Amino acid sequence: MAQYDSTIATGLILRIVTTPSAGNVVGNYTPVNVKLYLVTTNGRVVSNATKNGTITIDGTNYYFSTSIGTLNNNSSKLLGEANKNVPHNPDGHKTLNVSVSFGLNITYAGSWIGTVSNSIGEILTPIARASTPTATGTFQLGNSITINTNRANTSFTHTLRYGWGSMTGTIATGLANNTTWTIPKSLATGIPNGTSGTLRIYCDTYNGSTLIGTKYTDYTVTMPDTDEFKPSVTGCTLTEAVSGINAQFGAFVQSRSKISGSASANGAYGSTIKSWSVSINGATYTSNTFTTDVLIGSGSQNCVVTVTDSRNRSKSATYKYNVDEYSTPTVQAFNVERCDIDGTLNDEGSNAKVTVNASISPINNKNTKSFNLLYKKQNETNWTDIALDNASYSLSATQIIQNIDGDYEYDFKIEATDYFTSTSKDLPLSSAFTLINYNASGRGIAFGKVSSKDAFEFGMDAYDKFGTKISNGITSEDENLDPNQTLEELIITNHLNNPSGNDKKLYIIHTLFIKTRALDSNRFQIAYPYESGTIHTRIFKDGVWSNWIKYAKSE
């Protein structure tokens, strides 16, 4: 109860008395009684006329009529009263506003007093309302957090709910104070293109079975950067793309196979695969299906599949595959010379001694193989074919071919053939040695061989007047000749006096002499790189070699 006095005149008071009852939690209001009194503290009032007044409570007017009669000194007269259930604000707070007006209309102490009034404001006791939840912990999917209801009344219970985009769910019911809750990992499906979202925690507050109200609090929840929340590569199928190879070998074959690949992947918790990167055989493909170029490596190889999802998170997986080593058939050595029947070399013999070394890649002994020796007279078109031993993938053989007419030149050929291809080498065999031979046509002559055409032929080495071999564009066989000391026109050498110096690279060096061929002759040299490098030139003049000078920039 509260009392509010206002002085009308000396010894005369207008008194407002407010009496709030206990607040109604369910209805969120307070019943309030307001009484209006006329009080004398030093005087006397006599009036029998009916008088009117108004009591206004929180905007509502209550009208009354009364007569004062005789009001002695130090007395009070109840003029009127009113009652109202005063509604509180949604948060449970309320300021009670009361105003009164009364037509007193008397002469008091020689003065006229008409209508008197007063207004007061009183803060009512707040009514406990809906609880506002708070949460503590690490706000990450899959983590546990503690949620406090912060209830305002010990009789309140709560239902906790959550909202996550369009997803909703119940956390707890009948809750008094707090609870521990694990943020579901499944909420990740609600953010397929992001790694964080807003979690709204709702708190429904009940007084018994009556809903008092609902409050909520928002929190940012992140997605862990773990494999569980990243896309996954689920498989990669690698098959032979070249027809026939798998049926023959059951394996990938170096420099022959191509791989047709198909990779598969899944997003994580609702994400989708945005991009692909497949690294294989020295190349990268940006689709989950691909076909490689021919395989360049052998042995164990890797295919690395990387996917990136709609959250820009990536994951890789490595798939191993094996490639069987392969190289084309190789003829390492091939030589043909005239001989006697027992194989003794004789440049006048009527037999040919053929020596050959060749090899074919086994590919787990599944490769096909054949080695064939062919020969014919140079003036004929049909070859005689001799199948050599093919029991092994490597051949080292010597074959004596009989009846090789000394009057004719022959062509010899060795062929090594596998499943994929054939490699061959050709060699000529000159006619039998004779120092001088005239062609039957009378238009040809040969030295060191039988004349086979209407021409001037040599079947033996020829040297010029300086004692150097006429090479006809063929280099010397010694690869360590000093280019400073050679009289040969063409050499191939890795001597330190070539342009590569101590790097010992092979260069073909062409020497052009001025006027005469001698070690003290002025001369000009051009060096051509055999494997890698650049063309160089230099001169020898008056006994001094110049430095090598690059002639071209590109190799």
Side-chain angles (χ1 to χ4, degrees):
M1 184 178 67
Q3 176 179 298
Y4 305 92
D5 291 346
S6 63
T7 300
I8 301 171
T10 302
L12 191 61
I13 296 172
L14 186 65
R15 174 173 292 166
I16 301 172
V17 176
T18 61
T19 306
S21 299
N24 186 298
V25 174
V26 175
N28 194 30
Y29 65 83
T30 296
V32 177
N33 173 262
V34 178
K35 294 179 179 179
L36 181 63
Y37 292 90
L38 184 64
V39 180
T40 58
T41 60
N42 185 18
R44 183 170 179 268
V45 174
V46 177
S47 176
N48 292 315
T50 298
K51 303 179 184 300
N52 300 313
T54 303
I55 299 174
T56 303
I57 305 174
D58 198 38
T60 302
N61 296 322
Y62 298 92
Y63 302 98
F64 64 89
S65 297
T66 188
S67 63
I68 297 172
T70 300
L71 184 60
N72 294 320
N73 186 35
N74 290 321
S75 300
S76 63
K77 167 67 177 180
L78 175 63
L79 302 177
E81 71 174 308
N83 294 282
K84 182 179 180 181
N85 293 332
V86 178
H88 284 228
N89 299 327
D91 62 359
H93 292 81
K94 181 64 180 179
T95 297
L96 173 65
N97 293 305
V98 176
S99 63
V100 297
S101 175
F102 182 67
L104 185 53
N105 300 323
I106 62 171
T107 300
Y108 181 79
S111 297
W112 174 256
I113 301 175
T115 299
V116 294
S117 62
N118 192 19
S119 297
I120 61 99
E122 178 182 326
I123 297 175
L124 298 178
T125 301
I127 298 174
R129 301 316 296 153
S131 305
T132 300
T134 57
T136 57
T138 301
F139 292 90
Q140 196 171 72
L141 296 177
N143 281 3
S144 294
I145 58 174
T146 299
I147 305 173
N148 294 285
T149 62
N150 304 303
R151 66 177 177 174
N153 189 305
T154 56
S155 65
F156 289 174
T157 58
H158 308 85
T159 294
L160 293 178
R161 299 177 291 113
Y162 69 83
W164 175 265
S166 62
M167 303 172 69
T168 59
T170 300
I171 298 172
T173 59
L175 182 66
N177 293 308
N178 58 65
T179 188
T180 299
W181 179 59
T182 300
I183 304 173
K185 295 178 180 179
S186 59
L187 296 186
T189 60
I191 49 171
N193 301 318
T195 57
S196 66
T198 298
L199 176 69
R200 178 165 288 183
I201 298 176
Y202 296 92
C203 181
D204 301 324
T205 303
Y206 290 88
N207 184 19
S209 60
T210 302
L211 177 64
I212 300 301
T214 299
K215 298 281 189 178
Y216 66 82
T217 309
D218 290 338
Y219 297 93
T220 298
V221 176
T222 60
M223 183 183 297
D225 188 22
T226 58
D227 285 350
E228 182 179 0
F229 295 91
K230 294 179 180 179
S232 58
V233 180
T234 56
C236 185
T237 302
L238 305 176
T239 57
E240 178 63 64
V242 179
S243 177
I245 291 182
N246 185 66
Q248 177 69 25
F249 301 99
F252 297 124
V253 178
Q254 182 184 15
S255 77
R256 294 294 172 176
S257 289
K258 295 181 180 180
I259 288 180
S260 176
S262 177
S264 58
N266 291 327
Y269 288 99
S271 71
T272 55
I273 303 302
K274 184 175 70 174
S275 65
W276 295 82
S277 175
V278 181
S279 296
I280 182 173
N281 196 44
T284 299
Y285 303 90
T286 56
S287 172
N288 68 314
T289 58
F290 55 91
T291 300
T292 69
D293 289 333
V294 293
L295 303 183
I296 57 178
S298 64
S300 179
Q301 304 290 314
N302 291 332
C303 173
V304 181
V305 181
T306 302
V307 293
T308 301
D309 70 0
S310 52
R311 297 189 182 104
N312 282 324
R313 290 187 168 184
S314 299
K315 189 66 182 296
S316 297
T318 299
Y319 295 87
K320 290 190 175 295
Y321 62 97
N322 193 71
V323 180
D324 284 352
E325 184 177 7
Y326 173 77
S327 59
T328 57
T330 302
V331 177
Q332 291 92 353
F334 181 40
N335 190 50
V336 182
E337 296 178 279
R338 287 187 175 272
C339 67
D340 295 331
I341 189 66
D342 62 357
T344 302
L345 297 182
N346 182 357
D347 55 11
E348 295 181 358
S350 59
N351 306 284
K353 183 177 184 179
V354 180
T355 56
V356 60
N357 290 313
S359 62
I360 290 174
S361 294
I363 316 180
N364 290 323
N365 295 327
K366 294 181 179 181
N367 199 1
T368 60
K369 60 185 181 298
S370 66
F371 301 99
N372 292 78
L373 177 64
L374 301 92
Y375 68 95
K376 68 177 183 64
K377 293 177 181 178
Q378 287 188 356
N379 61 352
E380 295 180 351
T381 57
N382 294 327
W383 295 84
T384 298
D385 189 342
I386 300 175
L388 302 179
D389 180 16
N390 64 356
S392 172
Y393 284 96
S394 61
L395 173 70
S396 179
T398 299
Q399 188 86 11
I400 304 298
I401 309 298
Q402 299 180 17
N403 301 318
I404 302 300
D405 195 329
D407 289 336
Y408 292 91
E409 294 175 325
Y410 284 77
D411 289 326
F412 280 78
K413 178 189 295 186
I414 181 67
E415 289 182 345
T417 304
D418 69 359
Y419 177 83
F420 298 104
T421 188
S422 178
T423 297
S424 65
K425 271 193 176 181
D426 299 83
L427 281 179
L429 179 66
S430 66
S431 56
F433 179 82
T434 178
L435 182 61
I436 301 174
N437 183 257
Y438 298 94
N439 194 279
S441 67
R443 296 170 180 260
I445 187 172
F447 293 87
K449 64 184 289 294
V450 174
S451 174
S452 62
K453 61 188 69 168
D454 292 343
F456 185 73
E457 299 176 80
F458 276 92
M460 54 201 303
D461 291 338
Y463 289 80
D464 61 22
K465 68 178 183 178
F466 302 105
T468 54
K469 185 177 179 180
I470 299 174
S471 62
N472 197 28
I474 300 174
T475 66
S476 59
E477 295 181 359
D478 188 350
E479 293 185 355
N480 195 36
L481 289 177
D482 184 352
N484 291 3
Q485 300 296 320
T486 184
L487 294 177
E488 300 292 339
E489 181 179 358
L490 282 176
I491 64 171
I492 182 168
T493 181
N494 59 10
H495 193 276
L496 59 83
N497 283 331
N498 81 14
S500 69
N502 292 325
D503 289 342
K504 304 284 282 184
K505 292 182 178 180
L506 283 172
Y507 274 79
I508 298 172
I509 297 178
H510 186 191
T511 304
L512 301 174
F513 289 85
I514 309 299
K515 295 183 178 179
T516 185
R517 186 188 299 266
L519 289 179
D520 59 355
S521 297
N522 291 339
R523 53 196 183 271
F524 174 78
Q525 285 185 337
I526 304 175
Y528 302 93
Y530 179 68
E531 295 165 320
S532 64
T534 55
I535 297 174
H536 289 70
T537 62
R538 69 172 182 171
I539 62 172
F540 180 81
K541 186 176 181 181
D542 299 329
V544 178
W545 282 106
S546 69
N547 292 327
W548 286 106
I549 299 173
K550 284 185 180 181
Y551 184 75
K553 292 183 179 179
S554 59
E555 293 188 356

